[in-house]
Structure formats: structure tokens, C-alpha cells
Amino acid sequence: MRLKDKVAIITGAASGFGEGMAKRFAEEGAKVVVADLNAKGTERVAAEIGASAIAVTTDVSLQSEFDLMVEAAMAAFGRIDIMVNNAGYTHRNGDMLAVEEDIFDLITAVNMKAIYHAARAVVPIMEAQGGGVILTTASTAGLRPRPGLTWYNASKGWAITATKSMAVELAPKNIRVNCLCPVAGETGMLAQFMGEDTPELRAKFRASIPLGRLSTPLDIANAALWLASDEAAFITGVALEVDGGRCI
């Protein structure tokens, strides 16, 4: 029970990596706030977890909704120990000049500005409690970018830099800040990352990963669990590659 009595907020938790984290954290004793824009998805995941989870419908691009989510967490569980910024958005793989401005703005709002909203909402609470953990789902795209996802890649590079700077600034408050860099996996955004989802494209992508497969929600959840736990008490400012060797 590595997260016994800990309270975790996980955004983008209605599916994919976030759902995997929510369920894995709960298995290890955490109370979980399942947050997502997808109301039905949050309710399903929270119901599958049981009494140790609540569902909150949240648009992470808005500070007002982030604040309401934090208020719901505090009302239900009385504290916040772990903040996981997992919600993400991307444009379809293709010409960077073909990405419309509204899509670009949504990428920056969800992948970048939401981290700012999270910090403003939870850092004062964590400081008053004596510490905490902030964890962001970045991407291998922020470390080893490739053509076709330029603006998404850039947003994840921003998230990695923000993680490192936050880690240094928040260390005196005993708040650890890390991020995960997954390779693409079995999530709802896979078709966007590849341009389209075909057996041929999947095979081509798998061939670029030394361990020979895409990531799974459990792969990412296990890495997140370790970084969020006291086992990683001396780990901060890390961009952990969970990629089967893709970034080598």
C-alpha cells in the first residue's frame, strides 16, 4: 500500500493513461479524484474504483474549473498529496502549417497552461500540509521530436522545462515535481499521433521502439506510482522516459 492515506487528483482520468493511474493508485491505498472533461467517463472510472474515488467533470484549461475541482477534493478528502497533470491534447500528424489556430490554442491551454493552473491551485495547500508531489504526463515527443507533430512536441518540451524549474523552486517547500515521458500507446490519441490508425502504421511505429511494442496504461501507471510514492522521496526534476528505449 505505497500510497496509503494519500489523496491524488488525476486529470484526463476518464480513459487511457489517466484511467490506468487512477486505478493503480487506488489499488495502492490512495483516495482518488477522477477528473476529466468527459463526465460519463469520470463517473464510470470512479464507480469502478469504489468508495475511495470521486468523479469531477473539469475543463483544465480554465482556472475557475480547476479551483472547483480542488474544492471538491478538499471537501471529500480533506487534503491533496498528489497532483497529476495528465490531461492532454494534440493535432493530427501532418504539416505544421496546416494546424489551425484554434487547435494550437487548445494544445497550449491543455498541455501547458493547465500546469500553471494546477500549481496556483495546489501549491499553497501542499505547502501548508508540509509537502506534496506534482507529476505531469509529458512525452518522448518533448525529448526526441519528429516531423508531423511540431506544435504538440513543443508543448511537451515546455512541460519538461516547467517541471525542472518548478522542482528547483518548490524544493524548499518539500514539494517534488517530476514528469513522465511515455512513448505513444493504446489511448484515444494514437490515431492522431500516427495520422491514421492502420496495421501498417502500427507496425512501422513498433519497429522504432527497441522493446518492440507500444506503451500501455499500466506501464505509465506503474512509473507514476513510483514517482508519487515515498520510495522516490529524493527524486525531483526528473523527466522519466517510459518508452521501451525509443529515446535512445
Side-chain angles (χ1 to χ4, degrees):
M1 301 294 281
R2 286 180 281 177
L3 298 182
K4 182 175 170 53
D5 299 325
K6 304 284 189 182
V7 176
I9 296 175
I10 303 174
T11 66
S15 63
F17 295 157
E19 178 178 354
M21 290 182 208
K23 291 179 175 178
R24 190 73 185 91
F25 281 24
E27 288 173 354
E28 290 288 338
K31 297 177 175 66
V32 181
V33 178
V34 180
D36 202 293
L37 193 59
N38 177 350
K40 289 184 178 179
T42 60
E43 291 166 3
R44 175 187 60 80
V45 173
E48 290 174 1
I49 292 172
S52 62
I54 62 169
V56 181
T57 305
T58 305
D59 181 347
V60 297
S61 70
L62 301 174
Q63 184 76 62
S64 59
E65 294 215 4
F66 222 110
D67 291 341
L68 289 172
M69 176 180 64
V70 167
E71 288 175 12
M74 292 297 288
F77 302 125
R79 59 185 295 114
I80 298 169
D81 300 286
I82 303 160
M83 177 70 238
V84 182
N85 298 305
N86 174 71
Y89 193 74
T90 187
H91 55 88
R92 183 173 292 278
N93 193 311
D95 182 355
M96 69 181 192
L97 301 183
V99 177
E100 298 294 336
E101 187 175 0
D102 61 334
I103 300 299
F104 177 88
D105 288 344
L106 190 54
I107 290 167
T108 58
V110 175
N111 296 359
M112 297 164 58
K113 196 172 184 179
I115 299 172
Y116 163 80
H117 291 327
R120 284 168 57 89
V122 304
V123 166
I125 294 170
M126 290 180 174
E127 182 178 9
Q129 292 171 175
V133 174
I134 298 173
L135 181 61
T136 294
T137 302
S139 173
T140 55
L143 295 170
R144 196 166 182 255
R146 289 292 178 267
L149 290 169
T150 289
W151 309 122
Y152 173 80
N153 296 344
S155 74
K156 293 304 184 178
W158 185 99
I160 292 166
T161 299
T163 292
K164 293 178 179 293
S165 188
M166 289 168 65
V168 176
E169 185 163 343
L170 296 178
K173 303 180 191 296
N174 195 34
I175 298 173
R176 296 189 296 108
V177 188
N178 293 294
C179 65
L180 298 168
C181 293
V183 74
E186 301 289 348
T187 73
M189 293 200 296
L190 182 60
Q192 296 282 83
F193 290 140
M194 296 193 301
E196 58 181 330
D197 191 354
T198 67
E200 294 77 16
L201 280 173
R202 284 192 178 221
K204 181 180 178 181
F205 201 92
R206 282 196 300 271
S208 72
I209 301 171
L211 286 183
R213 65 173 176 84
L214 302 176
S215 66
T216 68
L218 184 59
D219 292 325
I220 310 311
N222 281 330
L225 171 63
W226 180 68
L227 285 174
S229 76
D230 292 340
E231 293 173 4
F234 201 54
I235 307 299
T236 197
V238 164
L240 180 63
E241 298 161 22
V242 190
D243 68 347
R246 164 79 169 173
C247 284
I248 297 170

